[in-house]
Amino acid sequence: MEDAIPLSLPDITQIEIDTVMQTLLSGRLSIGPMLERFEEGCAHVTGRTHGVGCSSGTAGLHMALLALGVGPGDEVITTPFSFIASANVIQFVGAKPVFVDICPKSLNADPAKIEAAVTDRTKAIMAVEAFGNPMHFDSYRKIAEKHEIWMIEDSCEALGGSYRGRRLGSYGHVGVFGFYPNKQITTGEGGMVVTDDDHIAEACRSLRNQGRAPGTVKGTSGSWFDFDRLGYNYRLSEIPAALGVAQLSRLDEILEFRREVARKYVERLMGNTEIILPTVPEEDTMSWFVFVIRLNDRYTGEERDRIIEGMHRHDVGAAPYFPCIHLQSFYRDTFGYREGMFPIAESVSSRTIALPFHARLSERDIDFAASTLELMLGRENLRRD
Ligand SMILES: *Cc1c(COP(=O)(O)O)cnc(C)c1O
């Protein structure tokens, strides 16, 4: 059953419906003008030269690693506190994810710990803006430069944000966005690689299309159909691309709505000593992905889970964002990871609650979600005393 106040909801208006409809009637359903427009739009928004559309954020991250030549025997440093795709893709190319613990304020990988984890085998940093927060991205960039390693920016939660004058998606050699329905903008499923590097862009265009050699991608008459590498079908069809074009045209509005919802939550919950509100960077350029609060350290993971269940019983969406990647059974079994290895990430992760968050959330819904959370906190306190 869906919650009456869902955790997330795409913001679809008549512009999106019209643009998709026109595309459906155009007769051109893949490799067409909408993909190009969406790519140009994403490159523009992030201040980069190239955009390469693809079938998901995960596919984009996979292609970025391949384009940078990351492969077997290489190590890629990343955070255990993210969506699992950030680390899974590293194994797609046969490399090893090396986790480092997070900074308890930003919830992003701690720069000092990244630096300490660099070895001869380190080929790249997979940097993630957790919940859209860009703190430390200038430090990551300096570390990558100093050690001459690649920086991939998993910006799947950060479209439209900026930090210290630089747009998110442009800190790394490559940036990647995802457009699943819970993201700031959606194409249903879809992704985008952005970069200033011609070779990386060209490699990704080829990789998403079965490895077809550059210059033959569109298969125009007279061109040679040469496949000079192992590629995939990671293409983005015209229908989602059209949805993306329409969503992107409303990006400022959507981000403004989301900022306003975040502001109202903060206003409503400020002063509640049971919870810790999200830290935002000094400038107000945050692209809000989700609104995640943390219970103070009196609460256990079981108590947190009970609070989430209680919220669902009251028809309010809530979720434990994110369970640590290193503690997933696949990672325990493959790498021998155990509890206690990344104590800050584990402690944070056992006490987070994502609250309902989307552009159209009304003041009443925000108040109801916050009141339901407070009710559940009260119940846990009664239980304990
Ligand atoms: C959503 C997300 C992805 C993957 O995006 P998909 O489009 O679902 O493949 C990767 N990394 C992070 C941090 C994400 O939040």
Side-chain angles (χ1 to χ4, degrees):
M1 258 286 287
E2 279 285 309
D3 292 306
I5 305 179
L7 198 56
S8 71
L9 195 69
D11 184 6
I12 304 296
T13 66
Q14 198 60 41
I15 302 166
E16 282 81 355
I17 295 168
D18 291 344
T19 314
V20 170
M21 191 67 84
Q22 281 160 20
T23 298
L24 285 172
L25 297 173
S26 74
R28 188 88 178 258
L29 296 189
S30 197
I31 315 181
M34 280 301 173
L35 177 60
E36 274 177 38
R37 274 178 63 186
F38 189 39
E39 291 179 335
E40 280 162 17
C42 288
H44 179 75
V45 161
T46 52
R48 305 222 84 163
T49 316
H50 304 280
V52 183
C54 55
S55 52
S56 70
T58 307
L61 292 169
H62 183 196
M63 294 197 299
L65 287 163
L66 289 168
L68 296 174
V70 180
D74 294 334
E75 295 177 353
V76 179
I77 301 172
T78 192
T79 169
F81 189 69
S82 179
F83 182 55
I84 196 161
S86 307
N88 277 352
V89 292
I90 297 168
Q91 291 166 86
F92 289 3
V93 300
K96 184 183 170 200
V98 173
F99 296 115
V100 297
D101 211 347
I102 58 172
C103 151
K105 257 185 92 181
S106 62
L107 312 187
N108 287 333
D110 182 331
K113 289 172 186 157
I114 292 183
E115 181 118 44
V118 174
T119 70
D120 293 348
R121 294 176 167 225
T122 308
K123 194 79 179 259
I125 301 170
M126 173 70 74
V128 185
E129 286 112 353
F131 309 143
N133 192 320
M135 274 166 73
H136 319 303
F137 269 64
D138 47 348
S139 307
Y140 297 165
R141 206 178 141 87
K142 284 194 197 112
I143 296 168
E145 271 166 20
K146 180 175 156 197
H147 296 277
E148 297 183 336
I149 52 180
W150 298 112
M151 175 171 167
I152 299 164
E153 198 178 343
D154 177 348
S155 294
C156 287
E157 303 182 355
L159 183 69
S162 60
Y163 181 58
R164 303 197 165 158
R166 195 179 256 278
R167 273 168 285 181
L168 303 187
S170 71
Y171 268 94
H173 296 93
V174 190
V176 178
F177 295 94
F179 306 113
Y180 187 74
N182 68 342
K183 312 282 185 188
Q184 283 86 336
I185 69 167
T186 186
T187 60
E189 297 282 359
M192 184 71 60
V193 176
V194 294
T195 183
D196 293 329
D197 186 309
D198 298 347
H199 298 288
I200 295 173
E202 202 168 78
C204 290
R205 281 180 205 286
S206 166
L207 285 164
R208 76 167 168 198
N209 197 20
Q210 309 287 1
R212 189 172 285 183
T216 69
V217 170
K218 284 181 182 162
T220 47
S221 63
S223 72
W224 28 288
F225 274 65
D226 186 27
F227 297 86
D228 60 357
R229 71 180 95 218
L230 182 65
Y232 301 81
N233 179 355
Y234 279 169
R235 295 187 302 265
L236 184 71
S237 91
E238 286 289 280
I239 302 159
L243 182 50
V245 165
Q247 287 262 278
L248 201 57
S249 75
R250 297 180 46 242
L251 180 65
D252 289 346
E253 172 184 282
I254 292 172
L255 293 182
E256 189 50 43
F257 283 150
R258 294 172 82 97
R259 254 193 294 276
E260 192 55 23
V261 171
R263 200 187 57 72
K264 284 178 184 152
Y265 265 128
V266 170
E267 206 175 86
R268 175 67 179 70
L269 291 168
M270 210 166 40
N272 185 329
T273 53
E274 305 286 297
I275 63 176
I276 302 160
L277 291 169
T279 312
V280 291
E282 64 269 25
E283 317 145 71
D284 187 22
T285 49
M286 175 90 176
S287 172
W288 286 89
F289 168 53
V290 281
F291 193 85
V292 177
I293 59 108
R294 260 189 290 161
L295 304 177
N296 71 24
D297 50 22
R298 289 203 309 147
Y299 287 86
T300 64
E302 291 89 74
E303 289 173 327
R304 186 275 312 268
D305 293 345
R306 233 175 2 242
I307 290 168
I308 290 179
E309 277 165 34
M311 292 183 70
H312 284 296
R313 273 200 307 280
H314 283 73
D315 250 1
V316 176
Y321 278 11
F322 283 109
C324 285
I325 300 175
H326 69 283
L327 296 180
Q328 302 303 311
S329 13
F330 174 68
Y331 282 79
R332 288 172 186 265
D333 297 348
T334 312
F335 300 102
Y337 285 120
R338 292 288 175 264
E339 275 88 0
M341 288 183 161
F342 305 104
I344 302 173
E346 291 167 25
S347 159
V348 166
S349 156
S350 67
R351 284 198 292 271
T352 53
I353 303 179
L355 300 181
F357 189 73
H358 55 84
R360 301 287 167 156
L361 206 61
S362 72
E363 191 126 18
R364 260 186 78 198
D365 289 348
I366 293 167
D367 188 57
F368 188 74
S371 302
T372 309
L373 170 67
E374 286 170 343
L375 180 69
M376 295 306 143
L377 291 172
R379 281 195 192 162
E380 282 310 316
N381 280 321
L382 279 178
R383 243 185 121 106
R384 201 186 285 147
D385 298 336

